[in-house]
Amino acid sequence: MERYSESLRFELCKKVPQDIQEAIVELQGIVGSRKNIKKNYIYTDRMNVANRVTLLWKTVFNSTVNLDIKKHKDTYRFYIKLDESYSDLLEWKGELPGYFLRGVFIACGFISDPEKGYRIELIPINREFTRYISKALDSLSLRYNVYGKRVYINGFSNAERFLSLIGVQHGILQLEEVRTMKLIREDTNRRINFQGSNIEKTLRTSDREIDVINRLMESGRLPERYIKVADLRLRYPHATLSELAQLSQPPVSKSTMAYYMKRLEKIANAVNKDRP
C-alpha cells in the first residue's frame, strides 16, 4: 500500500496549480486533513507534503510558511504553524471538490497494492473533518463508506474514477496495467482448470466405456454393428467423443457417437442382469 500510495502522492505533488483558486482549494484539503482543532499548526512526516504546502502557501498568500523540523523516532516531522488571520480562507466552502480531494489524498490518503485489491483510504487527524470529505465525494457521485475517521472507496471503477478526478494520470495507467495482467492470469487459470476438469471427465468416461466394451467382448455379446465403434474406442482410449466421431468412417456427429456408447452400456447392463 505504502509504495504505490507514495508514487501517486509524488505525482500529485509535482502538479503546478493553474490558478490561485485551484491552489487554495487543494491547500484547504491538506490543512483540514492534518489540523488538530485544538492547535494552530499542522504536521506531516512526509517531506514532499511539507514542500507542497510551502508551494501552495506561496502561490496563495505570497509569503513563506513558518516551518519547524523536529526529530521524531527514526525520521523527521515537519510542523507548519498556521496564521490565524488566514483561518477563514483555509476552511473549505464546497468549491472545486476534485482539487479539494487532491489535497486530502496528498495529506492523508492511501491506496492498496493493486495486485491485492482496489481500496482507497482517507484518514484525517480530526474525525469531524470526514463530513467535508463526504460532502466532496457526494458532489462527485462517488460511492464510499465511513468508519470512525476513516473514509473508504472500494472497487476498481470507483478507485480509478477518484484518481482521475484528483488529477492522477500516470498512476492510473499503472493501475490499469496491473488489472489487465491480473485478468489475464485469472482467465488463464480458469482455462487451465476447465481444461483439466474436462480431461479428467473424458478419462473417466473413456475408462467406463472401455470396461463396457471389454465385458461385452468377454461375454461374446458385442453386437456386430458396434464392432467398429468399440474398436475405435480401444484404439484411442484418450480421445473425446467429438474426436472419435471424426475418426469414424464415415464421420458421424458427437451426439451419434454418444448414442452408440450409451447403447453399448445398456447392452452390457442387460448382460449382467442375465447372468445367474
Side-chain angles (χ1 to χ4, degrees):
M1 175 187 285
E2 188 67 22
R3 185 174 181 179
Y4 184 55
S5 298
E6 284 305 306
S7 70
L8 298 184
R9 207 181 325 275
F10 182 74
E11 178 183 346
L12 292 173
C13 284
K14 292 195 300 181
K15 285 187 171 294
V16 178
Q18 298 301 305
D19 52 45
I20 292 179
Q21 187 64 19
E22 176 183 337
I24 193 169
V25 171
E26 183 182 321
L27 186 60
Q28 289 166 347
I30 296 176
V31 170
S33 299
R34 303 303 307 170
K35 188 177 186 301
N36 187 314
I37 57 175
K38 298 180 180 179
K39 299 174 181 178
N40 66 336
Y41 65 83
I42 64 172
Y43 71 87
T44 178
D45 296 330
R46 297 180 175 86
M47 181 181 292
N48 56 354
V49 177
N51 288 338
R52 187 65 175 176
V53 173
T54 301
L55 169 67
L56 296 174
W57 196 278
K58 179 68 175 178
T59 302
V60 174
F61 303 117
N62 195 29
S63 63
T64 57
V65 296
N66 189 340
L67 177 65
D68 190 16
I69 305 174
K70 295 181 180 180
K71 184 76 174 178
H72 180 71
K73 297 181 180 180
D74 297 328
T75 184
Y76 290 93
R77 178 164 286 179
F78 303 87
Y79 293 86
I80 299 171
K81 188 175 181 181
L82 301 174
D83 189 331
E84 293 186 1
S85 62
Y86 295 130
S87 59
D88 185 60
L89 286 173
L90 293 175
E91 183 175 348
W92 187 56
K93 306 299 192 304
E95 305 91 350
L96 305 175
Y99 296 137
F100 172 75
L101 290 170
R102 177 196 294 171
V104 172
F105 184 85
I106 288 173
C108 68
F110 301 91
I111 184 169
S112 62
D113 181 347
E115 288 283 358
K116 300 176 181 179
Y118 310 105
R119 184 178 70 179
I120 293 172
E121 297 181 28
L122 306 173
I123 315 172
I125 289 178
N126 177 18
R127 181 174 179 175
E128 290 298 314
F129 191 69
T130 58
R131 66 187 179 92
Y132 289 96
I133 298 175
S134 297
K135 180 180 178 181
L137 293 170
D138 285 337
S139 68
L140 295 172
S141 300
L142 282 162
R143 290 182 294 173
Y144 63 94
N145 299 101
V146 179
Y147 299 99
K149 67 176 184 178
R150 293 173 179 260
V151 179
Y152 296 96
I153 301 167
N154 293 305
F156 176 81
S157 58
N158 278 330
E160 182 185 43
R161 185 160 177 262
F162 174 87
L163 295 178
S164 176
L165 288 169
I166 68 173
V168 174
Q169 294 176 330
H170 180 67
I172 289 180
L173 295 178
Q174 290 180 301
L175 189 70
E176 292 175 342
E177 181 179 351
V178 171
R179 181 172 183 261
T180 299
M181 294 305 299
K182 283 178 64 178
L183 291 174
I184 291 174
R185 287 198 300 269
E186 290 170 359
D187 182 64
T188 300
N189 289 335
R190 278 195 300 270
R191 289 175 181 273
I192 291 173
N193 292 335
F194 177 75
Q195 290 173 355
S197 176
N198 276 351
I199 289 172
E200 290 179 6
K201 182 179 178 181
T202 297
L203 292 177
R204 287 195 302 269
T205 301
S206 174
D207 288 342
R208 187 179 70 251
E209 292 167 351
I210 290 172
D211 179 64
V212 164
I213 291 168
N214 285 332
R215 284 191 283 121
L216 288 174
M217 292 176 66
E218 289 171 2
S219 66
R221 301 284 293 273
L222 177 64
E224 185 175 348
R225 62 178 299 193
Y226 293 121
I227 290 177
K228 289 184 178 180
V229 172
D231 182 58
L232 271 178
R233 172 46 81 200
L234 294 177
R235 279 193 292 147
Y236 303 101
H238 300 150
T240 65
L241 288 177
S242 295
E243 291 167 341
L244 287 181
Q246 291 301 310
L247 290 168
S248 177
Q249 293 297 329
V252 296
S253 66
K254 176 184 175 181
S255 59
T256 298
M257 184 60 66
Y259 170 76
Y260 291 159
M261 293 300 176
K262 287 180 180 178
R263 286 294 301 162
L264 288 174
E265 189 168 356
K266 188 174 181 180
I267 294 170
N269 290 337
V271 170
N272 288 337
K273 289 181 180 180
D274 293 341
R275 289 180 178 176

